């Protein structure tokens, strides 16, 4: 199912303008690396938190600054930040402009359209004001996508077609359904969270669960290395969280991952 087209060739196939802007950034920075600003929590034997990371806005912003030059996307989880204010999103947008990356809020919208519209625009987060990219599950039907595209016209949408975690239900017919939904809303949807290419070069494929060493975590995450994900499975952008976040030198780790991911893309073109 892996197609032979280059990112330059895909530029004319992507209907959504955020998708095209992303491709331009990727080509300019030679980066198909997205960093996930994820938290990890370590509990002790009586379930008290011993250690946690990336749950303050200061930490989130410093990660954005450290890895910014290497990435095409910073993927956020705004609802794990304990001291979120509007100024955090303003500072994030500033860093995104400075380092030329897009902001992807990984909210995974999954409700009926009316609720999703409120979650996207309201609350204390006002996601639609600062996110370039948002994502959605297809479980509730196309109303979710309609709500997102209607109330955030400048946001590009990714659908979850497959997941990286053990035992997840996004397989076979479900994955095909995600592809059909995307084809129906091609002006708004420009890609998928998936394990690789699921067949249509008019969309971009974003794969989480990426780590150079492979392996997994204690809660079902399953890691694949960048080369397998991009060169063999045909994904376009690798999403790396703890592989970079937990490194003692995030700048260096981001640079190593950027190169590994871009080399894997070049290798795919040669085959
Ligand atoms: O199937 C999925 C979809 C997503 S968006 N599996 C995932 O792991 N993710 C997200 O990717 C997850 O929420 C986290 O932000 C990131 C993976 O982080 P890591 O630390 O495991 O690399």
């Amino acid at each position: 199912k892996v197609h032979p087209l280059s990112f330059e060739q895909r530029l004319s196939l992507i209907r959504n303008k955020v998708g095209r802007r992303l491709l331009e950034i990727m080509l300019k920075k030679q980066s198909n690396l997205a960093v996930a600003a994820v938290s990890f929590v370590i509990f002790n034997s009586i379930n008290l938190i011993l250690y946690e990371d990336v749950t303050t806005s200061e930490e989130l912003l410093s990660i954005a600054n450290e890895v910014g030059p290497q990435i095409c996307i910073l993927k956020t989880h705004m609802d794990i930040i304990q001291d979120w204010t509007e100024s955090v999103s303003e500072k994030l947008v500033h860093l995104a402009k400075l380092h030329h990356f897009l902001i992807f809020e990984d909210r995974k919208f999954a409700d009926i359209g009316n609720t999703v519209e409120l979650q996207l625009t309201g609350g204390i987060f006002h996601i639609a004001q600062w996110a370039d990219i948002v994502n959605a599950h297809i479980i509730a039907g196309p109303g979710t996508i309609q709500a997102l595209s209607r109330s955030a016209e400048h946001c590009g949408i990714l659908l979850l077609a497959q997941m990286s975690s053990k035992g997840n239900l996004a397989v076979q017919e479900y994955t095909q359904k995600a592809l059909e939904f995307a084809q129906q809303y091609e002006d708004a949807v420009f890609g998928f969270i998936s394990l690789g290419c699921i067949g249509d070069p008019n969309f971009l494929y974003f794969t989480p669960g990426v780590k150079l060493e492979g392996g997994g975590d204690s809660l079902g995450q399953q890691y694949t290395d960048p080369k397998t994900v991009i060169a063999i499975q045909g994904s376009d952008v690798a999403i790396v969280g703890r592989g970079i976040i937990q490194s003692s030198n995030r700048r260096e780790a981001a640079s190593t991952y950027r190169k590994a991911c871009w080399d894997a893309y070049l290798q795919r073109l040669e085959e």
Side-chain angles (χ1 to χ4, degrees):
K1 268 187 186 168
V2 179
H3 57 77
L5 301 178
S6 69
F7 290 147
E8 283 92 346
Q9 290 167 313
R10 307 275 284 293
L11 252 178
S12 60
L13 301 180
I14 308 286
R15 291 256 292 271
N16 176 269
K17 58 179 185 298
V18 178
R20 289 199 302 273
R21 188 145 59 90
L22 176 65
L23 273 174
E24 279 161 8
I25 291 173
M26 288 163 63
L27 286 163
K28 206 162 171 187
K29 291 175 86 170
Q30 303 205 331
S31 174
N32 54 345
L33 171 65
V35 162
V38 285
S39 174
F40 60 100
V41 182
I42 300 173
F43 295 98
N44 69 7
S45 55
I46 53 165
N47 266 355
L48 290 173
I49 292 177
L50 279 185
Y51 185 80
E52 49 182 351
D53 198 15
V54 205
T55 60
T56 66
S57 57
E58 190 189 342
E59 186 76 358
L60 171 66
L61 294 167
S62 95
I63 284 171
N65 205 28
E66 282 165 6
V67 304
Q70 306 292 334
I71 61 176
C72 60
I73 288 175
L74 182 74
K75 189 172 78 57
T76 56
H77 289 288
M78 91 258 127
D79 52 4
I80 64 174
I81 304 295
Q82 33 181 305
D83 58 342
W84 184 274
T85 60
E86 209 172 301
S87 100
V88 180
S89 57
E90 283 163 10
K91 286 175 186 154
L92 258 187
V93 169
H94 171 76
L95 289 172
K97 283 189 181 135
L98 184 74
H99 296 302
H100 303 287
F101 61 77
L102 299 186
I103 303 171
F104 168 14
E105 170 47 43
D106 186 2
R107 170 64 181 77
K108 296 187 180 70
F109 294 99
D111 215 319
I112 62 163
N114 184 63
T115 302
V116 160
E117 202 153 56
L118 296 166
Q119 291 169 326
L120 176 72
T121 57
I124 59 167
F125 296 114
H126 306 289
I127 299 166
Q129 286 178 16
W130 50 269
D132 301 296
I133 302 167
V134 293
N135 56 353
H137 286 294
I138 58 162
I139 192 78
T144 312
I145 306 169
Q146 285 160 4
L148 294 175
S149 65
R150 177 169 99 180
S151 37
E153 281 170 67
H154 58 277
C155 276
I157 300 167
L158 304 180
L159 299 181
L160 284 110
Q162 292 174 323
M163 294 193 74
S164 63
S165 44
K166 245 177 228 158
N168 77 78
L169 309 178
V171 296
Q172 297 161 7
E173 273 168 60
Y174 187 93
T175 303
Q176 282 313 307
K177 210 66 196 168
L179 183 57
E180 280 171 35
F181 279 12
Q183 287 164 341
Q184 256 172 54
Y185 295 94
E186 225 185 323
D187 287 328
V189 177
F190 72 93
F192 299 93
I193 299 294
S194 63
L195 303 178
C197 176
I198 59 171
D200 187 340
N202 293 5
F203 297 97
L204 296 173
Y205 299 94
F206 300 76
T207 303
V210 176
K211 211 177 209 179
L212 281 163
E213 307 83 43
D217 70 8
S218 60
L219 294 172
Q221 176 67 300
Q222 308 176 105
Y223 290 114
T224 310
D225 64 281
K227 191 170 152 179
T228 305
V229 161
I230 293 165
I232 300 169
Q233 291 167 197
S235 175
D236 297 307
V237 177
I239 300 173
V240 181
R242 284 164 285 181
I244 290 172
I245 301 300
Q246 286 185 333
S247 158
S248 55
N249 187 338
R250 288 168 178 158
R251 280 175 210 274
E252 222 170 78
S255 159
T256 304
Y257 270 94
R258 186 206 59 78
K259 191 169 185 315
C261 294
W262 193 257
D263 286 349
Y265 159 67
L266 295 178
Q267 187 186 332
R268 183 173 93 207
L269 286 187
E270 280 163 21
E271 278 159 9

